[in-house]
Amino acid sequence: MEARIETEASMFETSHVLGSLLASSSILSQAWHHCSAADTGAAAYVRGSCGNTVYVAFSSKYVANSLAGIRAGPMKAFDITELGGSGLFRPLVGGEGEEEEKVKVQALALHLFLTLLNSPNYQNLLQEIKDKPVIFTGHSLGGSLASLAALHFLCNSSSGSFSSCNSTPTPPLLCVTFGTPLLGNEAFSRAILRERLAGHFCHVVSQRDIVPRLLFCPLGPSLSILGAHMHCCNLLPDEERANLQKIVSMHIAAAATARKRESPYWPFGNYVLCSKEGAVCIDNPTAVVQLLYVTFVAGIEVVDLSYRDIAEAIPQHLLLKKRDITEEENFDGGISLVLEASGIGSTGIGAAAATEFKVSKRASRSPNLICAELATKLGKITPCRAQIEWYKVLSDDDMGYYDSFKQRISPKKYSKVNINRMKLGQFWDEVIEMLQNNSLPYDFHRRAKWVNAAQFYKLLVEPLDIAEYYRTEQHMIKGHYLTHGRERRYEVFDKWWKSKTDLMDNSFVKRSKFAGLTQDSCFWARVEQAKELTEKVKTEQDAQVLGKFWKDIVEFEDYAKDLVERKEVSIDVLAPRSSYRLWVDEWKSIKSARAFCFNG
């Protein structure tokens, strides 16, 4: 019973932390104060402070004026993959597969931000705030600029990138928006989850506000024109507003019930959904969409609540309305409080929402609990790893386990090892998927147990993946392993390990004996490339092409020699019949023959 209660109590743990912070501090009121100051001026943003914290508020008025003359599809999404190479948003665009949806954001918001980014004044601002706690904020369209500014700051701050491959902590930054429209597509939302960024973003939404819900509608001409005047949506005449509410409700309903969506936009970060009854903080995008729908429909006849009221009154209101929930009503009571604070109620649509929300939350579990269960699964697959280790030991003396596996010297052993290889790959792919879905603790990829386990797995098993890739001649179809065959899990583990080693003393300690596993898990892929180049050298007649081949081979030769001299390779690399040893002998003979011809 106690374990069950603890599990249920922690279901809202991520958003609960942010919600508690907002309820017990002046962040919302200060953010709104600076938003109001920004909206009364003509500048793109204003800078202020409260204590040691810097507030940068972006003006919705500036954005609206900038968009006033634009009519050509302003609400379309832009593929920010094109900007990834420039470094602006590189961590966000590094995780999609070739077949996956590309990360996209709202095109005009991005255009305005890039214009602002190139201004000397904004560059000076970035230098001034780079080592300080910062809160970016904005109302309506200004919130879109604030979100992009926060993402850029996190990507490029001298305090460290938010990418998981970076060892330094993320900057002390929070982005608070009020009634801002959706910014990116679902791939954008997933990328922010993958890079552990959701906790930096807090989107405050009033129960009747159309703007945060508008981009669930299809991106037709009427919405494109309306997009440039989005800040006026809530000021439309009653009849027009009612018609717009019906359209918006219909399309949010389609998104909330998992029917086919006609708009690419999707929420990201934490959402604080507010009503006159209180507020609820949610961090799951699907749950956010569901609550954006039911709160909007339930609040059509409700008196509108301004963001000034929310910012100034909600924190005190929340503290006054705190009440204890007994253990027996822990889960159901928590759901009831969520719905009550959202302004939905417990009858009609509120009852239906409660049932659906309970089901979805029952299905979710605490990240720490999932991590504990994952540790148990890791223990259960350890025998698979041990059998591969034993296979390696048995193969080291003759040709090494890479070549033994590639040539299937013992079919029975090969079959067993291959099954274990696939089981381990499946387990670690599930780990990566859970990490991307935000199901694991935010610091999972920095925990020594998992970083070390992933590194050992990579060093042990990736050579077998390489062997299978070349044994089945995939390099003839797709290209070489390093550029066309490497599984994404290994690239992720490279980042984890780099993050750990960057924190360690990098002074080199020379090994007294060869490593148990070759420290470059892609070593054998480099050997295969060197072998292919060596064959080409034998027949190539073009002197320029031959010179390039020769240069590439010599670079690998020097690299491999250095690894061997530092004993960073396993003893199987130097086995008498290993691919590497055979290549070394062949390369020596080619160099000797060339030298003889030259001398002659």
Side-chain angles (χ1 to χ4, degrees):
M1 178 68 176
E2 292 179 0
R4 181 182 67 85
I5 294 298
E6 171 143 8
T7 300
E8 294 175 352
S10 61
M11 282 183 174
F12 304 97
E13 62 178 9
T14 306
S15 53
H16 174 73
V17 173
L18 179 58
S20 297
L21 173 65
L22 297 177
S24 59
S25 70
S26 62
I27 287 177
L28 284 183
S29 59
Q30 284 294 326
W32 181 253
H33 169 74
H34 288 91
C35 284
S36 300
D39 287 344
T40 57
Y45 62 89
V46 297
R47 175 188 169 177
S49 63
C50 180
N52 295 326
T53 303
V54 176
Y55 284 79
V56 181
F58 293 84
S59 169
S60 61
K61 179 180 176 182
Y62 164 82
V63 179
N65 290 339
S66 300
L67 299 181
I70 301 176
R71 291 183 177 275
M75 303 322 297
K76 72 176 183 178
F78 178 78
D79 184 355
I80 67 170
T81 304
E82 298 176 28
L83 297 177
S86 66
L88 291 179
F89 301 102
R90 182 175 297 160
L92 289 184
V93 300
E96 319 99 334
E98 294 182 3
E99 304 300 324
E100 293 182 18
E101 181 183 18
K102 298 300 181 183
V103 172
K104 294 183 179 181
V105 297
Q106 204 282 308
L108 285 183
L110 181 61
H111 170 74
L112 290 178
F113 172 70
L114 293 178
T115 302
L116 180 64
L117 181 62
N118 291 326
S119 68
N121 288 340
Y122 189 75
Q123 287 297 319
N124 291 336
L125 172 71
L126 292 179
Q127 290 301 314
E128 292 170 7
I129 67 176
K130 65 180 181 179
D131 296 321
K132 300 176 181 178
V134 184
I135 294 180
F136 287 102
T137 187
H139 169 231
S140 189
L141 296 168
S144 298
L145 277 187
S147 296
L148 288 171
L151 282 174
H152 173 262
F153 189 79
L154 288 165
C155 284
N156 297 276
S157 170
S158 60
S159 298
S161 162
F162 63 73
S163 171
S164 58
C165 67
N166 198 293
S167 59
T168 54
T170 55
L173 177 147
L174 183 65
C175 178
V176 179
T177 70
F178 297 90
T180 192
L182 298 172
L183 181 61
N185 62 352
E186 191 168 358
F188 175 74
S189 179
R190 287 196 304 268
I192 286 178
L193 286 174
R194 182 188 71 231
E195 299 299 331
R196 324 307 286 177
L197 253 294
H200 288 278
F201 293 88
C202 171
H203 307 292
V204 182
V205 176
S206 177
Q207 189 171 6
R208 290 192 64 196
D209 193 351
I210 295 177
V211 174
R213 301 165 168 94
L214 185 63
L215 291 185
F216 283 113
C217 297
L219 308 182
S222 60
L223 182 56
S224 294
I225 295 172
L226 183 60
H229 308 284
M230 188 180 290
H231 61 297
C232 302
C233 288
N234 294 314
L235 303 177
L236 293 171
D238 290 344
E239 185 176 351
E240 290 184 36
R241 179 184 169 95
N243 290 333
L244 183 58
Q245 283 176 329
K246 289 179 182 179
I247 295 172
V248 172
S249 297
M250 177 178 67
H251 291 290
I252 306 180
T257 55
R259 297 200 299 269
K260 183 178 180 181
R261 302 201 306 270
E262 297 186 62
S263 166
Y265 290 95
W266 197 248
F268 74 95
N270 294 270
Y271 270 69
V272 180
L273 303 171
C274 305
S275 73
K276 63 185 180 66
E277 299 297 331
V280 56
C281 189
I282 302 292
D283 61 1
N284 180 282
T286 302
V288 167
V289 175
Q290 292 171 347
L291 285 176
L292 281 173
Y293 167 62
V294 293
T295 54
F296 189 59
V297 174
I300 288 179
E301 303 300 328
V302 175
V303 176
D304 205 0
L305 189 65
S306 73
Y307 285 108
R308 177 182 177 180
D309 294 336
I310 290 171
E312 295 181 354
I314 285 296
Q316 298 177 6
H317 191 60
L318 289 176
L319 292 175
L320 288 172
K321 291 201 69 172
K322 273 188 175 180
R323 66 171 183 260
D324 294 330
I325 304 173
T326 64
E327 290 188 350
E328 286 73 19
E329 61 177 348
N330 185 53
F331 182 76
D332 290 342
I335 294 294
S336 297
L337 282 181
V338 167
L339 299 177
E340 179 184 334
S342 303
I344 299 173
S346 57
T347 59
I349 192 171
T355 301
E356 186 171 351
F357 203 61
K358 285 177 186 178
V359 171
S360 65
K361 295 308 294 182
R362 287 280 187 190
S364 65
R365 289 170 296 160
S366 153
N368 285 324
L369 178 62
I370 294 174
C371 187
E373 293 175 350
L374 199 59
T376 302
K377 290 182 180 179
L378 177 63
K380 289 181 178 179
I381 66 161
T382 297
C384 297
R385 191 183 74 182
Q387 289 182 30
I388 295 177
E389 290 181 73
W390 183 243
Y391 176 78
K392 179 183 182 303
V393 171
L394 294 176
S395 306
D396 278 351
D397 292 339
D398 183 24
M399 62 171 57
Y401 83 124
Y402 171 79
D403 288 286
S404 295
F405 188 78
K406 182 182 175 184
Q407 298 180 32
R408 300 182 64 177
I409 297 301
S410 173
K412 282 188 177 180
K413 290 180 181 178
Y414 164 86
S415 179
K416 183 176 289 187
V417 168
N418 197 40
I419 290 172
N420 289 330
R421 177 182 70 90
M422 290 188 288
K423 285 182 179 178
L424 289 167
Q426 183 179 12
F427 170 79
W428 285 107
D429 281 343
E430 289 174 359
V431 171
I432 299 297
E433 183 179 359
M434 285 189 281
L435 194 62
Q436 288 180 339
N437 293 338
N438 216 31
S439 300
L440 297 172
Y442 73 95
D443 62 344
F444 178 87
H445 60 295
R446 294 190 180 98
R447 295 186 178 184
K449 172 180 178 174
W450 291 101
V451 173
N452 293 337
Q455 177 69 2
F456 189 89
Y457 158 75
K458 183 187 71 171
L459 297 181
L460 177 68
V461 177
E462 187 168 16
L464 301 182
D465 285 5
I466 297 169
E468 188 69 6
Y469 189 83
Y470 284 94
R471 186 188 73 78
T472 56
E473 298 185 342
Q474 292 299 305
H475 64 293
M476 304 293 290
I477 303 169
K478 300 178 181 178
H480 276 292
Y481 177 86
L482 285 173
T483 51
H484 297 93
R486 199 175 191 216
E487 294 287 349
R488 182 175 173 272
R489 74 178 88 99
Y490 296 126
E491 296 174 358
V492 172
F493 298 156
D494 282 344
K495 293 179 180 180
W496 293 7
W497 188 249
K498 182 180 184 300
S499 179
K500 176 183 176 179
T501 54
D502 284 349
L503 293 173
M504 297 165 58
D505 182 4
N506 290 323
S507 58
F508 176 70
V509 178
K510 189 173 182 179
R511 293 177 182 270
S512 59
K513 60 180 181 179
F514 287 106
L517 294 167
T518 300
Q519 297 304 290
D520 177 3
S521 62
C522 292
F523 177 80
W524 292 107
R526 305 186 204 284
V527 171
E528 295 289 352
Q529 285 183 302
K531 286 168 57 181
E532 182 178 285
L533 288 174
T534 302
E535 290 300 315
K536 290 180 178 179
V537 161
K538 295 176 183 179
T539 57
E540 182 59 52
Q541 299 299 316
D542 187 307
Q544 187 175 356
V545 175
L546 181 62
K548 184 181 184 308
F549 289 164
W550 197 276
K551 178 176 175 292
D552 290 343
I553 294 173
V554 169
E555 284 182 0
F556 170 72
E557 179 186 29
D558 292 341
Y559 170 75
K561 271 185 182 178
D562 182 60
L563 282 183
V564 172
E565 288 173 2
R566 292 191 289 113
K567 293 183 167 59
E568 293 289 297
V569 298
S570 170
I571 193 65
D572 68 297
V573 169
L574 302 177
R577 292 198 296 151
S578 75
S579 292
Y580 174 71
R581 281 292 294 271
L582 296 176
W583 172 81
V584 168
D585 293 341
E586 183 177 16
W587 178 237
K588 282 181 180 179
S589 66
I590 290 175
K591 288 195 296 182
S592 297
R594 293 275 173 162
F596 177 78
C597 292
F598 180 78
N599 291 332

